[in-house]
């Protein structure tokens, strides 16, 4: 594993690995220039070591999978809902066995999502009750409360008959002896059946549990992460510190992942996710923080901080896992030279956008795609946060399309930089980015706002704010 200007996170070693999983690239380099723009997410990479046992597991698992017919005869009982005819972006899958918080979890999922966000995902609930009466009653209660979501194809409920579990009881796995923990086996089998069912419903699969709260607009945060990582191979992303909740994978990997759960069943499910991504060459977990989900099972306390994504709700994360946002205070805006190639209106000069005075702003007439406003710092600085505000939106004078870039290696005249890297795009004329740990390693010399959509009217750039370390 390498930690340098470029960070390698996927390394497949040996010809055996290449032959088994030829669909994955042997080496994946992630430029630190390409960074996550999702609000309130921090990229954390935890160091892990590669072991020769993983290569052995690869060979054994591949041979076992070729000789096992695990899901061919599995028939699911559809309790409610019909799969959408069109593939969604994301499936949220959860297993529930008499979970007392399931209703609250589903309410949180749907209430945390806008009408637009609801179009991108489906929730699949795998009810694993062994008692038919309990299964029938829970299914009825959920269908009654969430009938609108069921009718719109946003919620499906399934059940796997006991016969499917019985067929796995004598399954030969990687262990030399039979399985000794029926409770753990049932949990692992529940998840495996759920993942197998969801394999063709969407492009991605997100595992959650039946006792969680969701951060507002968590779907948008995940979409932004996926957009940044679209061209980079990865196996598992993690959007929570909880054991199972927040594990995201490609749906195309679900049949193999489901088989892996049944093969390597002497580990808890959360360990199986990490074993799986290491087996496929992602040696380090890709984690985002703060978490987008929190559990209802910890000791309850109230947190009504406005910085908490769960503002106004009872929060139940451990104190050390609370959703946090650093207290940045007021912006610094260190001394800089500001210039633009946009047409300036009267004396509303570009440097007014960089002023910390509330009443100052910059007017530009009919900006064209490719125009820019550049802030060249007098001295390179480590930046903690960048904020760009245009508008106001209601007066239609905001920048409709724009992106923010960071510049490095000042030019000879110290009024520009020799190269720039993308930081993110404006949404409705606004941009607010808290820097990732990796981004803060290098000192920044320039900040550039680039117009990406030509507008036939003027725009107001109210503030460009910088917080330095």
């Amino acid at each position: 594993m390498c930690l340098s200007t470029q960070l390698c996170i996927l390394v497949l070693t040996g010809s055996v690995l290449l032959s088994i999983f030829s669909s994955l690239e042997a080496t994946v380099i992630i430029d630190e220039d390409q960074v996550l723009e999702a609000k309130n997410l921090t990229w954390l990479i935890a160091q892990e070591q590669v072991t020769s046992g993983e290569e052995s597991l690869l060979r054994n698992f591949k041979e076992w999978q070729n000789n096992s017919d695990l899901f061919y005869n599995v028939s699911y009982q559809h309790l409610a809902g019909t799969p959408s005819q069109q593939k969604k972006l994301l499936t949220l899958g959860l297993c529930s066995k008499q979970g007392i918080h399931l209703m609250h979890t589903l309410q949180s999922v749907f209430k945390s999502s806008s009408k637009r966000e609801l179009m991108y995902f489906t929730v699949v609930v795998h009810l694993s009750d062994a008692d038919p009466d309990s299964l029938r009653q829970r299914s009825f209660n959920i269908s009654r409360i969430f009938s609108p979501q069921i009718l719109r194809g946003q919620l499906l409920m399934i059940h796997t008959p006991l016969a499917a579990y019985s067929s796995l009881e004598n399954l030969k796995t990687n262990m030399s002896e039979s399985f000794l923990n029926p409770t753990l086996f049932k949990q692992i089998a529940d998840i495996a059946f759920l993942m197998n069912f969801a394999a063709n419903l969407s492009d991605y699969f997100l595992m959650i549990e039946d006792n969680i709260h969701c951060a507002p607009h968590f779907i948008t945060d995940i979409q932004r992460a996926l957009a940044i990582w679209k061209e980079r191979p990865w196996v598992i992303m993690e959007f929570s510190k909880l054991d199972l909740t927040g594990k995201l994978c490609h749906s195309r990997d679900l049949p193999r992942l489901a088989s892996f759960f049944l093969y390597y069943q002497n580990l808890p499910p959360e360990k199986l996710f990490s074993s799986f991504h290491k087996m496929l060459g992602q040696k380090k977990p890709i984690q985002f923080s703060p978490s987008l989900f929190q559990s209802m099972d910890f000791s309850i306390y109230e947190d009504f901080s406005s910085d908490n994504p769960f503002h106004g709700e009872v929060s139940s994360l451990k104190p050390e896992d609370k959703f946090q946002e650093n207290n940045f205070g007021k912006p610094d805006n260190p001394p800089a030279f500001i210039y633009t190639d946009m047409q300036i209106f009267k004396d509303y000069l570009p440097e007014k956008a960089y002023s910390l005075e509330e009443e100052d702003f910059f007017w530009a007439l009919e900006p064209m795609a490719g125009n820019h406003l550049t802030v060249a710092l007098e001295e390179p600085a480590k930046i903690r946060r960048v904020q760009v505000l245009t508008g106001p939106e209601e007066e239609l004078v905001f920048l409709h399309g724009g992106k923010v870039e960071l510049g490095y290696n000042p030019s000879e005249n110290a009024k520009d930089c020799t190269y720039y890297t993308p930081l993110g795009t404006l949404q409705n004329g606004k941009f607010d980015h808290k820097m990732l740990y990796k981004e803060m390693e290098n000192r920044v010399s320039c900040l550039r706002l680039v117009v990406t959509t030509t507008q036939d009217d003027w725009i107001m750039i109210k503030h460009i704010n910088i917080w330095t370390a």
Side-chain angles (χ1 to χ4, degrees), residues 22-235:
S22 58
S23 63
L24 292 178
E25 294 182 30
T27 303
V28 178
I29 305 296
I30 293 186
D31 283 326
E32 56 187 10
D33 298 341
Q34 301 294 327
V35 295
L36 178 65
E37 64 181 285
K39 185 179 180 181
N40 292 335
L41 293 183
T42 301
W43 184 20
L44 307 176
I45 300 295
Q47 178 68 39
E48 291 194 14
Q49 299 298 321
V50 180
T51 65
S52 60
E54 291 160 10
E55 295 188 26
S56 176
L57 176 59
L58 268 172
R59 293 190 296 268
N60 295 338
F61 171 64
K62 183 65 176 180
E63 180 180 354
W64 174 85
Q65 188 181 24
N66 289 339
N67 296 325
S68 301
D69 193 5
L70 302 174
F71 303 104
Y72 181 76
N73 292 321
V74 175
S75 58
Y76 294 94
Q77 183 180 354
H78 291 250
L79 303 176
T82 304
S84 173
Q85 295 182 353
Q86 293 184 340
K87 220 174 190 181
K88 297 291 186 73
L89 173 73
L90 183 65
T91 297
L92 277 65
L94 63 96
C95 299
S96 182
K97 181 182 179 182
Q98 300 177 345
I100 60 175
H101 297 306
L102 175 59
M103 295 294 195
H104 296 292
T105 295
L106 294 176
Q107 287 177 343
S108 179
V109 168
F110 294 120
K111 285 185 177 181
S112 300
S113 306
S114 66
K115 288 184 178 180
R116 182 191 65 84
E117 290 168 331
L118 290 171
M119 299 169 55
Y120 292 104
F121 71 90
T122 298
V123 180
V124 177
V125 178
H126 183 200
L127 294 180
S128 57
D129 306 57
D131 178 62
D133 293 333
S134 172
L135 177 66
R136 190 180 306 109
Q137 186 62 49
R138 294 185 73 207
S139 175
F140 172 78
N141 291 338
I142 296 171
S143 299
R144 176 173 53 86
I145 295 174
F146 295 98
S147 58
Q149 289 81 6
I150 292 173
L151 291 174
R152 289 193 292 261
Q154 297 164 354
L155 176 62
L156 306 176
M157 279 191 295
I158 63 170
H159 173 71
T160 307
L162 292 177
Y165 295 87
S166 301
S167 66
L168 301 177
E169 289 180 353
N170 298 319
L171 183 68
K172 292 185 62 178
T173 69
N174 66 310
M175 297 183 299
S176 58
E177 57 187 42
S178 61
F179 195 80
L180 300 178
N181 189 330
T183 302
L184 183 57
F185 168 75
K186 181 65 164 57
Q187 183 185 15
I188 288 174
D190 288 344
I191 297 173
F193 287 132
L194 168 67
M195 292 189 294
N196 179 68
F197 176 85
N200 297 313
L201 299 180
S202 60
D203 295 323
Y204 302 96
F205 176 84
L206 179 74
M207 189 76 203
I208 62 174
E209 296 168 88
D210 65 351
N211 60 348
I212 55 123
H213 283 301
C214 306
H217 305 296
F218 69 95
I219 291 295
T220 295
D221 285 336
I222 292 175
Q223 283 180 300
R224 290 172 178 169
L226 289 171
I228 293 297
W229 287 71
K230 183 177 180 180
E231 303 301 327
R232 288 165 175 75
W234 55 271
V235 181

Side-chain angles (χ1 to χ4, degrees), residues 369-406:
N371 284 160
H372 68 90
L373 188 153
T374 299
V375 176
L377 302 180
E378 290 185 3
E379 297 291 339
K382 289 188 176 182
I383 293 180
R384 296 186 298 144
R385 180 180 179 182
V386 173
Q387 185 181 73
V388 176
L389 301 176
T390 73
E393 183 178 353
E394 59 270 17
E395 295 180 15
L396 301 179
V397 291
F398 66 101
L399 183 59
H400 293 175
K403 62 181 179 179
V404 178
E405 300 175 334
L406 297 180

